Structures are given as structure tokens and as C-alpha cells.
Amino acid sequence: MSNIAAPRQVFQPGFRSVMTTPPPRFLARFCPSRRLFSLALAFVALFASPAGTAHAELRDYNMWWTPKAVTTGGHEIDLLLMVIFWLTLFVFIVTQVTYIIFIVKYRQRKGVKAVYSHGNNKLELIWTATPAAIFIILALWSDREWLQLRGKAPDNALSIDIVAYQFGFHVRNPGKDDHLGNYDQLWIEKGTNDFGVDLKDPTSRDDYASENQLTLPVNRPVNIILRSEDVIHAFYVPEFRMYQDILPGRKIDWVWFTPEKIGHYALACNQLCGNGHYNMQAKIDVVSEDDYKKLVAEKSANAEKARAEQDKAPAATPAPVAAVDVPAASPSPSPSPTVAPVVAALGR
Amino acid sequence: MSATPVLSPHGDDHAHHDAHYAPGFFGKYVWTHDHKMIGLQYLFASMFFGAISGLLAMGVRWQLGFPGKPFPIIGKFLPHNIVGPDGAFLPGGYNMLVTMHASIMVFFVIMPLLIGVFGNFLIPLKIGAGDMAFPFFNELSFWLFMLSGVIVVSGFWSGEVTGAWHHLTGSSLPPDTGGAAAGGWTSYAPLSSDPAYNTTHYGQSAWAIGLFVNGLASIAGAFNYITTIVNMRCPGMTMFRLPLAVWSLFVTAILLLLAVPVLSAAAAMLWLDLNMGTTFFSGRNGAGGDPLLYQHLFWFFGHPEVYIMILPAMGLVSEIMPVFTRKPIFGYRAMAFSMIAIGFLGFIVWGHHMFVSGMNLVASAVFSFSTMVIAVPSAIKTFNWMGTIWKGSIRFTVPMCFCLAFVSMFVIGGLSGIFMASTPVDLFIHHTYFIVAHFHYVLFGGSLFALQAAVYFWFPKMFGRMMNDKLGYWNFWLMFVFFNLTFFPMHTMGLAGMMRRIADPTQYEHLRNLQPLQKFISVRAFGLGASFLVFWYNFFWSMKYGEKASSNPWRSTTLEWTLPSPVTLHGNFPVTPRVYHGPYEYSIPGMEDDYLPQNVPMRDVKRTAGVEIPAH
């Protein structure tokens, strides 16, 4: 009886195979010639060198890490981020170093056969249970933080109303009464009533609007109310560690944070929203409490004056929408899309 | 032996007949029923789509590294809804680039390469069957796939086509600025579904139709694979003697069958919204639709899809690693069960794409939990691969180099995923370049590296020639180095606040500071693109001039290596094989050869020492 009976004839040695030849020098195992290796090394060195970054005029900006967190919630997120970072870095180093040691140590060697082993159930159990435990702890911690970060805003929070549109942000601040006038998605009329404000509500008279500009007092909780006029946009400020999609037809009122550092930041739309998306941004100024009070006094006086003038000329005022409790009775501002909006869209 | 029942449709009786059957060019290369040729059809088709998609990626990197500068050489020749008159990308054109790059890569490169090519080529060969269960549906699936690819890509010329139609017929079709879909590969409604907001009406419609047709192809493929694996295994091939590549494709096929119809539904609804005035996904007052519905449907498909794109890659790597360590795979059953676990859990984690979408906050917390749990089976697999090389005898062939790189890159991609699974951290890094880095590590460093390994490994079985080693090592090192230089810095860029899908980062003060890094990445990305030229050159050169391969050049154990290279017979096996043990019997103590093919019974082997091999 031969060594292997039937299929012997189909095992031609053929290919001058790494499978049958004796092991080569270490380097030559994965690189056929020394010249090639040094060439490749030179090539890698050329491209790996930070040549592209040499002329960077790096000011105090660290492009290799996160910007500083400037909100209270941001620090909690940073803590979690750092824990995960060090944990994954540890696992990364341990696994990759072990892996490389294995690769070097267990390379093909003359006269050394691979160990015949189909596995080890004890080991399987260990490396199932350990990551599972770590992941579950991480998940529980994350969920706790999450529900706190996204919980109800404190009672003394400053409410600010944002309506996003293609391509910008309408911002409405409460005036000196510190209270946003009553509003609803159904009352929005583009151009005349961008926020859907109930014009009959007396607390709405001192609210003032601004375009692509958000001014916040420092050290006071801010509750941002997010709505969209058309497509999905997003509220994204890296320094605030805050991202939230803004959906049309839905009011999102759980975004809140406490800015704790005076400065200028950028609010960016971070959900692809059309051709102008790349530049849909707003300025955020975090100012001292006194500055904020001054600003509010000035702006809400202007707003009240404007409203008073509007009242004097009733013809120009859009009819305030009253009946809202019955959705069926409310006029639908937009008919279902037909060819007409398609043609209208060409103007964009 | 002769008494074994014949399970293949082209078994003993037909094999003789088939040997004399000589189909013409059309019957052999265009409309064939041979699973091997269909696999090759998929291979060439997805290489073609890959070239297109790779070029789109180069365009994306050009615009990010050098915003507003004309795209060199070909910029001037691109359609004018993508570039301005000077050849620099327009913001809308950039949106088309990112959308189409991702859509083509996902649906027309990675999926067909993994499932179309290696699913078709390997399943019947590895399980000892003559062909797929439904050869006609197999071929139909390929041509539906081709059709869908052409439809999706044709979106780029939709402006020209509809303009010509308008001109010729004087029809009242609304004219369109034209261009391909530009709403991201996820095409979130209502930007994509509402004609008032969508600026690429026809491109988006083509995208929706294309994905629908592609869904049909996937479903036809999936039920074919499932039936084949369940019914057509040769005698002795029990489920736990299946090679792991077949296991992975089996789980993948089930995922496809359950997930893809949901995408088809979403695409159909999107198309109706866009063209028929329905409002499934509209956020308008009183329209009764919901934009979040689209996201739920999309990601209910989209998350299993993520695993559809990595499971077969894991299977292929598990197949190649034992060959070049000359050692049985570590923990065969753990590997198989973890794939089943991934398949199951893959259906209950879709919400982690939607933590900050406006979905219910408690739902986010629940999805975060399930997402952390799904990381466990992936960890198990990684440890098992490391266990496989432990005390092995590693041969650093080109496919093995790619496999080793796969495991390493997959570890990085997996670890960066933990950041996003944690909801509060996701609040910060959602939709930044961190996630771009993450999924490129999994899809490129993971799936594509595994695919490179698989092409180098099975090339002799496909074309009867070896791929060139020297070019292969060049290919590997260039790709490995440039891949890491391109995608690793994206992690820190994401942490620094760089957003996804921004046509011109210099519009933002804090992103202007990152511009040197952007340039760095772009230049390396061009190097990465160039490394594919080495692969292409090697592929086509070796097809013609490569060294002739023996039937089993890698001295491997599975059934396809018992056949000549290339496998010429339609019906594969002249005699239906019989399988006696598991697929990874290497280095059995006391045996002269260091491998034992699946179809050789242990009793026929002369040994100096007796060691029990598991019967499975």
C-alpha cells in the first residue's frame, strides 16, 4: 500500500514552491531580493516622512488630537473617550506585539513541524468571557452617561430655537423675559414666519432672531431646540462634543450643555444636505454674562419696536394661526410634490 | 467508491457527455451555466467597476487635498455637472463623487468579489458538487448584477440622456441638471426622495432602480447558495466538515436573503417618492411620511450588509491561513459558531448608525448594548487566527502576507469601532473622518486585503498559472504601506473635527489648520491607487505568461485542489468525491506528508505513529 492511495497521481510537485523548498533567510521570506527590499524601504521612508506637513505653520492648534472640550458634558465624554482610547491602545499593542512575535518565532524552520492542534476550549472560553465582560461594562457606563447627557435640561436652562434650512440656520433667542414665545412646526411660513411663532403670544414680542449666529452666555445651561424646514441637517460643534441630526417635521428638544469658556466656535451642518452643504455653518460666540445681558437688552428692544410697527400696519401682518389642536383643520402648507416643484428646484 | 450516490446535476452520466460538448463563444463566455465561468465573469466585472470607483476616490482625495484646483489631466474632460469650466470640482460634483464611490464599492466591487466571485467559484468545488443548484438563476443573477451596475453608473450621463430625449421628442419631461446620485451612499430622505430638494433627479432615480435590480440579483444568488450548500454536499461532507469559507458564505447568503428585500423596499419607496408624488419619507407637515422610516429601513439592511461584506472575507482568510501555517485552524467550531452569532446579532444592531439621528434615546442605549455584544464574536475570531499561527510553520507567500495584514488591519478596524459603539463618544465623533477611517480599515484593510489574498491563492485554480511572486510582493508592500499612511491619519483628523462629505474643508477655520494633513493623505492615497496598477499588471500578465501551475501548488487539503488547474470540466468532478474528515488536517504527527486531503481516508495513509484525528 502506498502512502496515499488514490489521489497520488494528481499531486504533482510542479511549482517551485515555498511549500516544499527549504526555508529562506528571514528577510527573503516576504521580499524576494535584498535590492528590492532596500528600494521599498527608501520608498516608504520618502512617503512616510511628514514631508507634506513640513511647511505647516502650526500655531497652538494640535491637529493630532481633539480640540479642547468647553462644556461640562464634554468633559464626561472626554473621560469615556480617554478610557476607551487607553484600553484599545493597550489591547492594540498587546495583540499586535504578540502577533509579530508569533510571526517571527513560528516562521518555517528546517526540521520543525507545525504542532498538530485543533484548538483549546478553555482558551476559547477565556477569550470569549473576557471581552464580553469588558464590553458589557463599557456599554453600561456609556448608557448611563448617555441618558444623563441627553436627559431633561435643567430648569434654569436658556432655551434657544434653531430652524435649519438649505443652507443656513435661523436662530431665535428669548428676549429679556427669558422665555421663548409659543411656537409650532405647523405654523412655519417660509420668509414671513420662519419659526412658526404664535404671534398672539405676548411672550413672543421680545424674542429676537439672528441668521447663522448663536450667542450664548457662559456658565449657564443652554437648551437647543432643533427643527428643520426642508431636509435633514445637523447640529455639530466639536468643542461642545455635540452632534445631533435635525429632522424635518420633528422637534428635537433634548440637546443641552453648559458652555464654560468664553470664545468663538463654529456650528457646522454635518449631514449631507445638498450642494451648499459644504459651507452651511454658523458662528457661535460664548460671551460673559454681562455682555450677554447687554446684547439681549438691545436686541429685544429692537424686536419689540419692530413688532409694534408691524401691529400698526395690520395689512402686512400674516394672519396668526389659531386653531392647531385639530390637525385635520390645519392647512397643509405644502401640497404633495408634483412636477411643479421639480421645475422650481431647477433654480437651485 | 463507485457505489456512491451521484448528487451533482452533471454527475457521472453527464460528465462524459460534457467533455465533448463544446459551446461557442457566446455559450462559453457570455451566457454560460458553468459556475466557474460565472465566477470569472463576476471577477472581471467587479475589477472594471473597481477601476471606476477607485478613480472616483482619487477625485475625492484631490478635491480634499487641493480644493478648487483643477483636477489634473482628465479634469477638463469630465461632465460639466461635476467640474467647472476650469476642470475643478463643483460642490455638487464632489457630492456625486463620494456617493458613487461608496455605492459602487459596496454594491459592485466588494459584494460581487466576495460573494459573486468566490461564492460561485468555490462553493461547488469545495463541497464536491458539479455545479450550483440552479445554474440558470446563477447566470441570470450575474446579468441582473451587470444591468444594475450599468444603470447606477449611467446616472453620470443622465443629464445628457434626458437632454437628448427632450430634444428629440419634444416631450415634456422636466429637464434636469443631470449627474449621478449625490445624497451619499445612504441617500438619506428627504434630500434624496423629495424632488423639491434633490438636484440630481434622474441620477437618484437610476440609483434607486439600480439597487432594486441589484437586490434581485442578490436574492437569486442567495437562495442558490443556500440550496446548494444544504442539498449538494458530496457524501461524507457533513456540515462540520465544511471548509470555513463555505460556512461563511452560507451565513452570508442567509443574511442576504433576509436583509436585501428590505433595501429593495426602501429603494422602491424612494423611487415612488421621487417620481410618483408619494410621501413615504417626507418630513413635510401633513404629508404623513417620516424621514426616520427611511433610515430604519436602510440600516436594517445596512448593518447585516456590513457583515455580508466581512464574513466571506473572514472565511477566505480562515481558509488560507492553515495552508501556510501547515496547521489545522484553531477552534473550527468556535469559528463556525461565531459566524452564526455574528449573523444573528447583525440583525439587532442597526440602530447604532442612528444614535444621533433623532431616534428615541432609550433605543439608542439598547442598540449600544447589542453593538458591544456583537464585538465579542469578532474578538473570538481574531484570537483564533492568532491561535492558528501559534506554533505553526509559517510560509510567507504573497497570499499569506495579505492574510496576516488582514488580521492586523481588522484588529485596528475592530478596536476603532468600540469608540463609536459607546453612545456618548459617538455624540462627538459621529459623521467625522474617524468613522471614515474605521470603515476603510474594515472594508479595505479587511475585506479587500482578504480578497487580494484569495485572488493570489486561487488564481492557479482559475487560470492554471501562478501569479508572479516578485510583483506580488511589490503589490503587497505598496498597498500595505500606502493603505496605512492614507487611512491611519484619518482617525486623528476625525477627532480634530473633520466632517464627512464636505466638499471644501477650507471653508471652516478649524479645518483649515488640518490642510497639511489633508495634503499628506491625498498624496499617499494616490500612491495607494497606483499600487492597484501593480496588481492589475500582475493579474493580466500572469494570465498569459505566468508559470504553469500544478493541480495543488499550495499542498492544500480541500477538494478543489484534487482537480486539475484550471478546472476545465463543466461538472467539475469526473467521479463524485467522498470526504472522510475535516478540511484542515495539516502536520498530522507520524505522517510523511504534512497534509491529508479531505478525500483521502486515514486508513489509506501509512503512519509511524497513531494519532486520532477528529471525526467531526
Side-chain angles (χ1 to χ4, degrees):
Chain A
M1 199 166 82
S2 69
N3 189 356
I4 292 174
R8 230 335 170 199
Q9 59 271 47
V10 286
F11 298 166
Q12 305 127 1
F15 178 54
R16 55 153 190 88
S17 158
V18 269
M19 315 307 301
T20 47
T21 48
R25 287 190 334 280
F26 179 66
L27 201 66
R29 284 162 196 275
F30 41 79
C31 213
S33 81
R34 208 170 245 195
R35 203 163 58 116
L36 179 75
F37 188 78
S38 45
L39 249 171
L41 212 64
F43 202 67
V44 168
L46 182 74
F47 276 91
S49 70
T53 54
H55 54 81
E57 68 288 14
L58 292 177
R59 296 159 293 266
D60 57 341
Y61 191 88
N62 181 0
M63 69 177 178
W64 301 105
W65 198 243
T66 62
K68 273 209 173 71
V70 297
T71 55
T72 37
H75 298 306
E76 282 145 32
I77 292 176
D78 273 7
L79 177 66
L80 196 49
L81 177 73
M82 290 316 289
V83 167
I84 295 180
F85 173 75
W86 287 110
L87 184 79
T88 49
L89 189 70
F90 174 75
V91 175
F92 171 76
I93 290 172
V94 169
T95 49
Q96 304 277 350
V97 166
T98 318
Y99 193 55
I100 290 167
I101 290 174
F102 280 7
I103 288 174
V104 175
K105 196 171 166 194
Y106 300 121
R107 64 189 189 273
Q108 182 191 10
R109 275 194 263 208
K110 225 179 215 165
V112 181
K113 238 182 157 182
V115 165
Y116 182 70
S117 154
H118 281 276
N120 182 324
N121 284 341
K122 207 168 170 187
L123 275 176
E124 299 283 353
L125 205 68
I126 291 171
W127 63 49
T128 308
T130 315
I134 295 173
F135 288 139
I136 285 173
I137 290 168
L138 270 181
L140 290 176
W141 184 9
S142 297
D143 284 352
R144 219 180 93 167
E145 288 296 332
W146 168 258
L147 293 174
Q148 262 171 21
L149 286 168
R150 285 285 160 112
K152 204 176 165 303
D155 289 337
N156 66 335
L158 171 71
S159 292
I160 290 185
D161 184 15
I162 291 183
V163 174
Y165 61 96
Q166 283 179 325
F167 299 98
F169 299 91
H170 299 302
V171 182
R172 183 169 63 119
N173 300 50
K176 53 183 188 281
D177 66 353
D178 215 28
H179 187 269
L180 279 175
N182 198 12
Y183 58 96
D184 196 288
Q185 182 75 10
L186 292 174
W187 304 334
I188 287 183
E189 271 167 58
K190 221 176 159 147
T192 52
N193 193 352
D194 284 322
F195 298 96
V197 178
D198 178 4
L199 297 173
K200 283 185 170 169
D201 181 1
T203 61
S204 76
R205 297 187 74 89
D206 63 339
D207 298 347
Y208 64 92
S210 45
E211 270 312 281
N212 297 329
Q213 167 73 46
L214 195 58
T215 312
L216 307 172
V218 72
N219 289 332
R220 181 175 170 193
V222 183
N223 181 17
I224 308 267
I225 290 146
L226 297 165
R227 291 174 294 159
S228 168
E229 243 174 40
D230 34 46
V231 299
I232 302 178
H233 300 280
F235 178 94
Y236 172 63
V237 189
E239 290 89 347
F240 292 0
R241 305 287 187 267
M242 187 55 70
Y243 178 107
Q244 176 60 52
D245 272 357
I246 311 176
L247 290 157
R250 218 176 258 243
K251 184 177 87 174
I252 286 163
D253 57 1
W254 57 66
V255 172
W256 73 273
F257 50 85
T258 314
E260 50 181 28
K261 197 162 166 255
I262 292 171
H264 304 287
Y265 310 101
L267 162 62
C269 173
N270 191 1
Q271 183 69 266
L272 187 55
C273 62
N275 292 350
H277 165 66
Y278 72 101
N279 196 16
M280 177 169 165
Q281 55 178 313
K283 279 197 193 114
I284 300 183
D285 295 330
V286 176
V287 298
S288 71
E289 214 154 326
D290 291 343
D291 287 353
Y292 185 72
K293 271 188 189 137
K294 256 184 260 170
L295 183 90
V296 170
E298 184 200 327
K299 293 270 188 180
S300 53
N302 288 347
E304 279 180 323
K305 219 171 17 182
R307 185 65 84 78
E309 271 166 30
Q310 233 177 21
D311 287 347
K312 271 180 212 155
T317 320
V321 189
V324 284
D325 296 325
V326 194
S330 68
S332 164
S334 55
S336 60
T338 54
V339 177
V342 181
V343 180
L346 294 174
R348 285 168 194 280
Chain B
M1 267 313 244
S2 56
T4 54
V6 174
L7 286 186
S8 78
H10 300 276
D12 288 28
D13 298 339
H14 293 285
H16 178 74
H17 173 75
D18 278 356
H20 294 288
Y21 172 64
F25 181 83
F26 184 83
K28 193 170 176 197
Y29 297 111
V30 182
W31 187 272
T32 167
H33 286 171
D34 185 354
H35 71 100
K36 300 183 288 294
M37 185 51 71
I38 295 172
L40 295 186
Q41 285 177 326
Y42 269 113
L43 179 59
F44 287 107
S46 38
M47 279 171 77
F48 166 72
F49 285 123
I52 297 179
S53 187
L55 277 175
L56 294 174
M58 297 297 105
V60 169
R61 274 327 310 178
W62 177 264
Q63 170 67 10
L64 288 176
F66 312 94
K69 301 243 170 63
F71 193 44
I73 310 168
I74 56 172
K76 285 225 161 59
F77 304 102
L78 293 174
H80 283 284
N81 42 41
I82 299 179
V83 291
D86 60 343
F89 290 112
L90 300 168
Y94 175 84
N95 293 348
M96 290 176 208
L97 293 187
V98 280
T99 305
M100 294 304 281
H101 164 68
S103 300
I104 297 175
M105 276 297 177
V106 168
F107 293 103
F108 303 105
V109 183
I110 303 288
M111 270 173 81
L113 274 176
L114 286 170
I115 302 157
V117 180
F118 291 102
N120 267 311
F121 192 81
L122 293 181
I123 290 176
L125 288 179
K126 276 187 178 298
I127 66 172
D131 203 324
M132 285 286 183
F134 307 107
F136 172 80
F137 277 108
N138 206 9
E139 182 62 359
L140 185 69
S141 165
F142 170 74
W143 283 109
L144 282 174
F145 156 77
M146 260 327 262
L147 178 68
S148 68
V150 170
I151 291 172
V152 169
V153 175
S154 72
F156 277 116
W157 294 277
S158 61
E160 283 74 4
V161 172
T162 47
W165 176 259
H166 193 64
H167 183 75
L168 284 172
T169 61
S171 78
S172 58
L173 273 175
D176 191 72
T177 49
W185 86 278
T186 52
S187 287
Y188 273 10
L191 175 67
S192 60
S193 71
D194 194 323
Y197 308 131
N198 195 320
T199 49
T200 58
H201 191 119
Y202 293 108
Q204 192 72 53
S205 299
W207 184 90
I209 296 170
L211 256 55
F212 189 86
V213 176
N214 188 264
L216 296 179
S218 292
I219 295 165
F223 80 75
N224 208 347
Y225 292 0
I226 296 171
T227 318
T228 307
I229 295 171
V230 170
N231 283 338
M232 293 177 63
R233 283 169 286 127
C234 69
M237 182 66 89
T238 59
M239 282 310 265
F240 284 104
R241 283 180 187 167
L242 279 180
L244 284 169
V246 180
W247 255 113
S248 71
L249 286 158
F250 183 56
V251 176
T252 304
I254 295 171
L255 292 188
L256 272 175
L257 199 61
L258 296 177
V260 166
V262 181
L263 174 74
S264 301
M269 285 153 92
L270 191 145
W271 187 86
L272 288 172
D273 266 15
L274 204 51
N275 294 290
M276 294 291 157
T278 57
T279 54
F280 290 115
F281 306 133
S282 173
R284 291 169 189 271
N285 293 332
D290 189 346
L292 273 189
L293 173 63
Y294 178 82
Q295 296 184 24
H296 278 294
L297 290 176
F298 186 87
W299 289 117
F300 185 81
F301 151 80
H303 204 79
E305 169 72 8
V306 170
Y307 290 103
I308 286 167
M309 290 191 287
I310 195 71
L311 277 177
M314 291 170 161
L316 295 173
V317 168
S318 308
E319 202 62 35
I320 298 171
M321 267 204 166
V323 179
F324 296 119
T325 52
R326 313 308 292 169
K327 191 168 171 283
I329 191 93
F330 199 88
Y332 174 94
R333 283 191 183 228
M335 288 298 229
F337 284 129
S338 60
M339 282 194 283
I340 296 170
I342 288 175
F344 173 73
L345 290 168
F347 276 103
I348 54 167
V349 295
W350 82 90
H352 69 212
H353 299 267
M354 297 170 62
F355 284 158
V356 291
S357 66
M359 182 177 70
N360 183 304
L361 300 176
V362 179
S364 295
V366 175
F367 279 120
S368 167
F369 196 87
S370 58
T371 304
M372 290 284 188
V373 172
I374 203 172
V376 174
S378 303
I380 296 173
K381 295 196 82 78
T382 309
F383 290 129
N384 275 315
W385 287 318
M386 289 174 67
T388 304
I389 60 171
W390 170 77
K391 292 201 174 172
S393 174
I394 305 169
R395 270 78 163 164
F396 293 94
T397 58
V398 180
M400 188 57 176
C401 285
F402 274 111
C403 275
L404 294 171
F406 164 91
V407 176
S408 194
M409 299 300 99
F410 183 73
V411 167
I412 299 178
L415 289 175
S416 65
I418 298 172
F419 287 79
M420 274 152 312
S422 164
T423 32
V425 180
D426 187 62
L427 203 52
F428 168 38
I429 54 177
H430 189 87
H431 254 236
T432 62
Y433 260 68
F434 194 89
I435 182 105
V436 177
H438 163 70
F439 65 68
H440 278 101
Y441 262 91
V442 180
L443 273 184
F444 196 140
S447 302
L448 212 60
F449 274 32
L451 280 165
Q452 293 271 323
V455 169
Y456 275 93
F457 187 73
W458 278 288
F459 191 89
K461 200 46 70 186
M462 289 171 169
F463 300 103
R465 288 173 189 276
M466 307 302 293
M467 276 179 93
N468 185 290
D469 256 2
K470 201 165 196 171
L471 284 169
Y473 286 114
W474 268 104
N475 178 6
F476 169 73
W477 282 108
L478 288 175
M479 206 172 270
F480 181 73
V481 169
F482 282 126
F483 167 77
N484 280 294
L485 290 177
T486 303
F487 292 107
F488 202 85
M490 286 187 186
H491 288 112
T492 60
M493 209 152 73
L495 289 178
M498 172 67 193
M499 295 157 264
R500 266 178 98 169
R501 297 170 180 160
I502 291 281
D504 184 359
T506 59
Q507 298 294 329
Y508 290 86
E509 165 98 36
H510 63 291
L511 300 184
R512 264 200 292 281
N513 296 323
L514 291 176
Q515 213 51 30
L517 194 52
Q518 292 275 22
K519 274 184 203 155
F520 175 90
I521 292 176
S522 288
V523 173
R524 275 71 185 170
F526 303 143
L528 184 58
S531 68
F532 274 95
L533 296 179
V534 181
F535 172 72
W536 275 57
Y537 179 73
N538 193 0
F539 187 90
F540 289 109
W541 185 88
S542 302
M543 256 176 81
K544 196 146 170 62
Y545 303 109
E547 202 177 333
K548 277 242 161 58
S550 64
S551 68
N552 192 1
W554 311 116
R555 296 162 69 77
S556 177
T557 54
T558 43
L559 289 179
E560 76 269 31
W561 303 106
T562 61
L563 297 170
S565 305
V567 188
T568 42
L569 192 65
H570 184 188
N572 301 337
F573 297 91
V575 178
T576 304
R578 175 176 266 281
V579 163
Y580 296 93
H581 44 76
Y584 307 114
E585 295 302 333
Y586 293 97
S587 301
I588 300 175
M591 231 182 99
E592 186 195 316
D593 267 319
D594 65 348
Y595 69 114
L596 178 65
Q598 274 195 289
N599 62 341
V600 178
M602 201 60 187
R603 60 171 184 270
D604 290 359
V605 181
K606 204 158 89 186
R607 291 195 298 165
T608 53
V611 170
E612 281 300 307
I613 66 166
H616 285 305

